[in-house]
Amino acid sequence: MSTFTGTTGLVHNEGSLWKRGKRGRRAYSQPRRDVDTHPLDETLISEGVDLPDLSELDVVRHFTRLSQCNFSVDSGMYPLGSCTMKYNPKINEKLAALPGFSAAHPLLPSLLAQGILRIMHELETWLCEITGMDAATLQPAAGAQGELTGMLLMHAYHAGMGSRRTKIIVPDTAHGTNPASAALCGYQPVPVASNERGILSPDAIAAVMDEETAGIMVTNPNTLGLFEENIRDIADIVHAKGGLLYGDGANMNALMGIVRPGDIGIDIIHLNLHKTFSTPHGGGGPGSGPVCVKENLAPYLPVPRVIEEKGKYHLSQDQPRSIGRVQAFYGNVGVMLKAYCYIRTMGAEGLKQASQMAVLNANYIKEKLKGSLYLPYDVPCMHECVFSDKLQNPFKVSTLDMVKRLMDLGFHPPTIYFPLVVPGAIMIEPTETESKEEIDLFIEAMKSICREASENPGLLHEAPLKCKVRRLDETMAARHPCLAG
């Protein structure tokens, strides 16, 4: 029996800073005043903000203890499905924080911002090379905004062709934001079911594709972790009706250096720099969702565009067919810098190897856990594999029970109950950076939990037992969050 890394030591019972504060404590000494005091106008004075008085030690210990209550990718394996909470090199954080970047004012004239503009231009070029596309924008601040930008581009393209189209095809294995992005742009999402192998059938697409349909949004690899091997045929069907193929590139971590979406019929694709290209994310950001397009869609890209002329870089607003701005200033430059550093340090072969390792690790887990957990689609997967709780249901044990128990053994839970096409889904994405030893420990932990499900299901119903807090009212936390003391 292995020793798992779950919490067994001291876990502090940390209260709020409001309970810790005492009137008169200070964490910082103000320099002696060298000017006379002047009373404020009474109309400017209020009762003040409710902030506790704290010493430096109060503050340091409070936040240090809070950090120890939390789990992060620096603490242990984070097999968090499609959110790709992978480990990213710390050097990229350090380089992005260099004063020349972090202190640069966004309103600097182009002549004084040649360095960052060159980096942005080169990053656009590299993303186009990786995806097989012709032009890119770095403006969108997240994957969902990239999707919306893609839909706006599609709408502008059809309008430019004199065509009014009202529908977008969205498969049931797409990311949940896809239909929302299409609807925000005025399109009616048309759902299409995947086939018995978990992928799209060309016949199913042909049955719904018509001249009123603007295109299709395909997540590839899809949310079952499977490669859409019919994508070339689907592209031909959509293009024959004048539609466009949108690629959700959030799962590009499985394809880098292996498949270029532009080579298999994709017209528009967004990438998540904060997932695939080295920025730890979670808790809402920061993110960056560049959009890459084929040449016929380039005129519609957002402004400003980064243009290079005779070795000099500038921001161009002179794009008459552009959909306009989608983000203030340059976008999230810090995330772009980390992606730039990641791509430069990895190189073409390194990116390819990262994807190969991500796919290998996911397939290793799939084969090792098959039988302990139910595998609805027993075929080679890409960067993630999807199981369900079907084998544990006879013992009244659910997916939620199992992943809560996983926390006792020192692992962050994977994504659960998604994708929706698999009841009780458990989506595991190990990523490329976990060692075989760590993955083996995770596999052993999952097998141990599966044994407990049949031998002592009550233990799983009570889990987690070793975490600072037990089961939370997640609905209450989501709908009525307590954000202050």
Side-chain angles (χ1 to χ4, degrees):
M1 183 69 176
S2 299
T3 301
F4 299 113
T5 55
T7 303
T8 57
L10 181 63
V11 178
H12 293 282
N13 184 24
E14 187 66 12
S16 74
L17 282 176
W18 279 263
K19 294 179 180 177
R20 181 174 297 279
K22 291 290 185 183
R23 180 66 62 187
R25 287 184 182 172
R26 292 287 183 272
Y28 177 71
S29 297
Q30 296 281 358
R32 182 179 295 278
R33 184 181 67 248
D34 57 0
V35 296
D36 294 333
T37 60
H38 292 277
L40 283 173
D41 187 320
E42 290 292 332
T43 61
L44 299 176
I45 300 175
S46 68
E47 295 182 355
V49 181
D50 177 24
L51 293 176
D53 290 2
L54 300 157
S55 70
E56 180 175 319
L57 195 58
D58 288 333
V59 175
V60 170
R61 284 182 175 170
H62 175 74
F63 286 105
T64 300
R65 287 169 177 167
L66 286 185
S67 73
Q68 292 168 341
C69 294
N70 204 0
F71 190 92
S72 73
V73 73
D74 289 338
S75 306
M77 187 173 168
Y78 220 107
L80 192 56
S82 59
C83 286
T84 319
M85 185 58 77
K86 70 177 185 180
Y87 181 82
N88 292 295
K90 295 291 183 285
I91 184 65
N92 299 335
E93 299 285 334
K94 185 174 183 178
L95 293 173
L98 289 173
F101 297 129
S102 60
H105 197 284
L107 291 178
L108 278 174
S110 295
L111 184 63
L112 300 179
Q114 287 295 294
I116 188 61
L117 291 178
R118 175 183 170 183
I119 285 175
M120 293 172 64
H121 189 270
E122 290 183 355
L123 180 58
E124 286 184 356
T125 303
W126 296 343
L127 295 179
C128 287
E129 174 62 26
I130 291 169
T131 57
M133 309 300 270
D134 299 313
T137 175
L138 301 176
Q139 280 197 29
Q145 194 186 16
E147 290 178 23
L148 178 61
T149 302
M151 288 298 96
L152 290 170
L153 292 171
M154 192 178 287
H155 187 275
Y157 168 82
H158 285 301
M161 300 290 287
S163 172
R164 285 187 176 273
R165 300 193 177 215
T166 58
K167 298 182 288 185
I168 292 281
I169 301 171
V170 183
D172 61 358
T173 50
H175 279 119
T177 48
N178 285 183
S181 298
L184 279 172
C185 204
Y187 289 120
Q188 175 191 350
V190 178
V192 172
S194 50
N195 63 19
E196 70 283 356
R197 298 179 59 233
I199 59 174
L200 290 174
S201 162
D203 291 340
I205 302 303
V208 296
M209 184 64 205
D210 56 26
E211 282 77 7
E212 291 187 15
T213 303
I216 181 172
M217 300 180 83
V218 177
T219 301
N220 196 16
N222 65 27
T223 56
L224 288 168
L226 305 179
F227 186 74
E228 294 288 354
E229 60 189 44
N230 298 318
I231 192 69
R232 182 71 259 184
D233 293 336
I234 291 170
D236 290 342
I237 293 168
V238 173
H239 289 158
K241 298 285 187 181
L244 296 174
L245 193 57
Y246 182 89
D248 182 323
N251 290 340
M252 195 69 193
N253 207 48
L255 302 182
M256 293 183 297
I258 301 171
V259 175
R260 300 201 317 164
D263 295 343
I264 55 175
I266 302 291
D267 299 294
I268 310 169
I269 185 170
H270 88 266
L271 302 171
N272 286 2
L273 296 188
H274 50 286
K275 293 169 64 176
T276 308
F277 297 100
S278 182
T279 288
H281 80 298
S288 181
V291 176
C292 305
V293 298
K294 285 295 190 182
E295 188 173 9
N296 58 338
L297 287 149
Y300 305 100
L301 286 171
V303 288
R305 301 283 310 280
V306 183
I307 304 295
E308 185 269 332
E309 291 177 335
K310 298 179 180 179
K312 298 292 184 183
Y313 301 87
H314 67 94
L315 294 171
S316 171
Q317 302 277 358
D318 186 19
Q319 307 288 328
R321 287 191 281 172
S322 168
I323 61 172
R325 269 188 179 274
V326 298
Q327 185 61 247
F329 301 115
Y330 297 179
N332 280 343
V333 173
V335 182
M336 299 175 201
L337 288 166
K338 294 170 200 173
Y340 182 89
C341 297
Y342 183 72
I343 294 172
R344 285 208 69 162
T345 52
M346 293 289 282
E349 283 304 311
L351 293 177
K352 181 179 181 180
Q353 188 177 14
S355 287
Q356 290 173 329
M357 292 303 296
V359 173
L360 176 63
N361 289 349
N363 278 279
Y364 181 71
I365 289 176
K366 175 178 69 69
E367 289 301 314
K368 289 289 186 180
L369 288 181
K370 186 169 64 177
S372 297
L373 292 168
Y374 179 68
L375 182 65
Y377 298 96
D378 191 3
V379 295
C381 65
M382 299 297 286
H383 62 305
E384 59 195 10
C385 50
V386 178
F387 298 96
S388 85
D389 57 3
K390 188 175 181 178
L391 300 181
Q392 285 70 41
N393 285 165
F395 311 110
K396 309 295 183 187
V397 169
S398 68
T399 289
L400 185 66
D401 296 327
M402 288 191 281
V403 300
K404 292 292 185 185
R405 179 60 176 155
L406 194 58
M407 296 164 69
D408 283 336
L409 304 185
F411 297 94
H412 193 284
T415 294
I416 57 174
Y417 299 112
F418 185 81
L420 300 178
V421 290
V422 176
I426 307 173
M427 177 196 285
I428 299 171
E429 180 177 357
T431 77
E432 71 278 12
T433 49
E434 297 296 338
S435 67
K436 181 176 182 298
E437 291 77 14
E438 190 70 17
I439 292 174
D440 281 338
L441 200 61
F442 172 79
I443 291 168
E444 190 171 342
M446 287 302 303
K447 287 185 174 180
S448 171
I449 292 169
C450 292
R451 286 193 297 272
E452 290 175 345
S454 60
E455 297 169 358
N456 187 8
L459 179 65
L460 274 63
H461 296 154
E462 294 295 320
L465 301 172
K466 297 178 180 178
C467 295
K468 184 176 184 301
V469 293
R470 304 288 293 278
R471 295 206 184 191
L472 302 174
D473 186 336
E474 297 178 4
T475 302
M476 179 70 78
R479 297 185 178 177
H480 302 285
C482 178
L483 304 177

